[in-house]
């Protein structure tokens, strides 16, 4: 089966850099993705890694190491609006089943 | 059009009611999903449709009945629900296949309250 572990909460200050880690166990690997969800809103796709290395999208970057079954989401120049829950996710084998981690609640303080 | 539209946004129903949640996408995606999400929890997969055929049912109780009338529409029919079914119901779409499932576009959700 598939399982993912990520910290339950992280706190940082405006302007800082924060890293949210995710370790996973899968029976086959088809990619690691990240989603952001604001309170009361729906999840929105942030980033996806299929291969090892860093993917950069503006202030957000995502990293993957398949040999370590590990990835992280890096948020730079934190803003108050970045306060949200962040989920890592992996496909659960054939058929398009995306499994989400438990989520990391990020609080950005002034 | 890069949106997934869900209606209604809010729904309150009694345990004997029958209601439906609706979802529409015009992104050309051939995979559509229903997820259920409780407060402070991750989205939990209920159903997957691929090319209008049900491909995954995560052992969801029969009081939830999905329907995919065409490649753009997805419905979730609700009947005889329980109070514990109160949750945010999220529709999503993506390109088909296991790799396609990495990139889901979610609708805003339907917040369901069962009295």
């Amino acid at each position: 089966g598939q399982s993912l572990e990520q910290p339950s909460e992280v706190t940082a200050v405006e302007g800082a850099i924060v890293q949210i880690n995710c370790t996973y166990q899968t029976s086959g690997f088809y990619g690691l993705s990240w989603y952001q969800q604001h309170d009361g809103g729906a999840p929105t796709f942030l980033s996806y890694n299929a291969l090892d290395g860093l993917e950069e999208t503006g202030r957000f970057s995502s990293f993957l190491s398949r040999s370590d079954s590990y990835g992280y989401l890096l948020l730079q120049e934190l803003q108050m609006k970045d306060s949200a829950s962040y989920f890592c996710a992996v496909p659960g084998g054939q058929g398009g089943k995306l499994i989400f981690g438990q989520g990391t609640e990020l609080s950005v303080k002034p | 059009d890069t949106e997934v539209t869900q209606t209604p946004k809010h729904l309150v129903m009694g345990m004997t009611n029958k209601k439906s949640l609706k979802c529409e996408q015009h992104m050309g995606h051939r995979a559509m999903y229903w997820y259920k999400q409780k407060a402070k929890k991750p989205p939990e997969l209920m159903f997957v449709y691929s090319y209008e055929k049900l491909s995954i049912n995560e052992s969801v109780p029969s009081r939830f009945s999905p329907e995919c009338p065409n490649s753009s529409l997805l419905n979730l029919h609700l009947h005889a629900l329980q109070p514990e079914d109160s949750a945010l119901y999220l529709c999503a779409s993506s390109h088909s296949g296991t790799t396609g499932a990495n990139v889901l576009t979610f609708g805003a959700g339907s917040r369901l309250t069962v009295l």
Side-chain angles (χ1 to χ4, degrees):
Chain A
Q2 286 73 29
S3 68
L4 301 104
E5 284 194 25
Q6 51 182 127
S8 59
E9 52 187 41
V10 172
T11 301
V13 296
E14 246 183 323
I17 299 173
V18 74
Q19 179 174 312
I20 299 173
N21 298 321
C22 175
T23 56
Y24 60 86
Q25 285 187 317
T26 59
S27 52
F29 183 76
Y30 303 97
L32 178 71
S33 54
W34 290 90
Y35 288 77
Q36 178 192 60
Q37 186 175 25
H38 286 100
D39 204 25
T44 56
F45 170 77
L46 288 178
S47 187
Y48 160 61
N49 295 74
L51 301 175
D52 293 350
L54 194 66
E55 292 282 341
E56 297 182 69
T57 311
R59 294 188 297 114
F60 294 0
S61 304
S62 58
F63 172 82
L64 175 67
S65 169
R66 286 174 295 172
S67 61
D68 295 320
S69 298
Y70 163 76
Y72 65 72
L73 181 69
L74 191 73
L75 297 85
Q76 302 182 71
E77 301 171 21
L78 280 175
Q79 301 176 10
M80 299 295 288
K81 67 179 182 180
D82 298 328
S83 293
S85 291
Y86 293 84
F87 296 94
C88 58
V90 292
Q94 299 300 315
K97 173 178 173 175
L98 194 65
I99 309 297
F100 287 84
Q102 290 299 304
T104 299
E105 189 170 351
L106 171 64
S107 297
V108 180
K109 307 290 187 191
Chain B
D1 195 343
T2 57
E3 280 190 344
V4 175
T5 304
Q6 286 187 245
T7 55
K9 289 193 181 345
H10 300 276
L11 179 62
V12 179
M13 59 187 291
M15 290 190 283
T16 58
N17 292 159
K18 284 186 182 181
K19 297 285 185 184
S20 297
L21 306 181
K22 298 185 180 302
C23 176
E24 187 170 7
Q25 60 94 8
H26 294 287
M27 303 178 69
H29 289 160
R30 301 311 297 269
M32 296 187 76
Y33 310 78
W34 282 114
Y35 278 84
K36 172 183 177 180
Q37 188 177 29
K38 293 273 203 177
K40 304 293 186 186
K41 294 290 187 184
E44 185 182 326
L45 182 67
M46 300 174 72
F47 303 103
V48 181
Y49 274 83
S50 180
Y51 290 88
E52 295 110 74
K53 294 194 185 309
L54 183 65
S55 60
I56 296 177
N57 175 343
E58 289 288 281
S59 303
V60 179
S62 60
R63 58 186 184 268
F64 295 92
S65 175
E67 178 196 19
C68 190
N70 60 51
S71 61
S72 300
L73 294 174
L74 186 66
N75 299 320
L76 186 63
H77 302 298
L78 315 171
H79 173 55
L81 295 192
Q82 304 296 311
E84 59 264 29
D85 297 321
S86 298
L88 181 67
Y89 288 84
L90 294 160
C91 173
S93 70
S94 77
H95 293 296
S96 63
T98 304
T99 303
N102 276 290
V103 185
L104 299 184
T105 301
F106 282 91
S110 294
R111 189 162 298 281
L112 173 66
T113 303
V114 182
L115 301 177

